[in-house]
Amino acid sequence: LEVPPGYFSPYNAQSTLHLYDAFWGLYLPFTVTGRVSDIWRSYVVQRLLHDIGLSLVYSPPIVENRQNSHYSTSDKRMEHHLYERTTSLLAFLTNWEDNSPSLPARIENVWIELYERAYVELEDVLTIQKWIRTLLQFGYNFPSIKGKKINSRS
């Protein structure tokens, strides 16, 4: 099932596959809780995938997840940003535009703007900059920007 450009669908960090052209999207922000980190990362990655002509695809599961049945007040506390701030995050990403000619610049710029809007802390911006430098040092070839931005919908 392909999520078309212009739409967002959450995915987490469990049992996911990032192909080479999306390898840069493996970065998980760590200044938000683990219950928020992977979901918000999924939205940021999807927004940038649209700029390189790619999209998110769901496939049948390849693992079975057996969770215990606990759900506590602390779980809810760790997820509160998902309930309180995701709508505004998606609105921001829907309207976000960047004319930088390269994907690394756009990745850095979107994370800077997420910091400026208090979605993440400065440490995430500094770490995403290190992540980009590391990928470049190891010879990773970032995909090229393709055409104009597609207006996203949540």
Side-chain angles (χ1 to χ4, degrees):
L1 175 65
E2 179 180 6
V3 179
Y7 291 87
F8 294 99
S9 182
Y11 65 88
N12 65 22
Q14 300 172 19
S15 189
T16 61
L17 174 66
H18 285 73
L19 299 178
Y20 183 87
D21 283 346
F23 187 81
W24 53 268
L26 287 172
Y27 176 78
L28 282 168
F30 61 91
T31 62
V32 295
T33 68
R35 292 190 178 264
V36 174
S37 178
D38 55 354
I39 302 301
W40 280 7
R41 181 270 307 261
S42 76
Y43 295 136
V44 174
V45 168
Q46 286 173 77
R47 173 58 193 84
L48 292 164
L49 285 173
H50 301 162
D51 288 356
I52 58 175
L54 298 177
S55 57
L56 174 67
V57 176
Y58 285 94
S59 68
I62 57 174
V63 297
E64 182 179 332
N65 186 2
R66 295 182 187 175
Q67 294 182 332
N68 57 24
S69 61
H70 82 283
Y71 187 78
S72 66
T73 304
S74 74
D75 291 336
K76 187 169 177 139
R77 245 182 285 129
M78 291 190 306
E79 294 175 351
H80 81 276
H81 275 88
L82 284 177
Y83 307 120
E84 295 175 4
R85 303 207 57 211
T86 297
T87 300
S88 65
L89 171 67
L90 291 173
F92 161 70
L93 292 171
T94 297
N95 295 306
W96 182 76
E97 293 188 30
D98 189 283
N99 294 320
S100 300
S102 73
L103 183 58
R106 290 186 185 196
I107 294 168
E108 181 178 5
N109 290 341
V110 74
W111 284 98
I112 288 170
E113 290 194 43
L114 290 169
Y115 162 68
E116 290 172 345
R117 287 163 177 75
Y119 289 103
V120 297
E121 299 296 326
L122 180 59
E123 292 83 3
D124 272 315
V125 173
L126 300 174
T127 306
I128 198 75
Q129 291 168 333
K130 289 178 187 174
W131 172 239
I132 292 167
R133 282 194 307 272
T134 300
L135 289 173
L136 290 169
Q137 288 170 349
F138 279 97
Y140 179 73
N141 293 310
F142 285 86
S144 300
I145 301 299
K146 309 272 192 241
K148 290 184 73 174
K149 170 192 172 283
I150 296 169
N151 285 334
S152 299
R153 295 178 201 96
S154 57

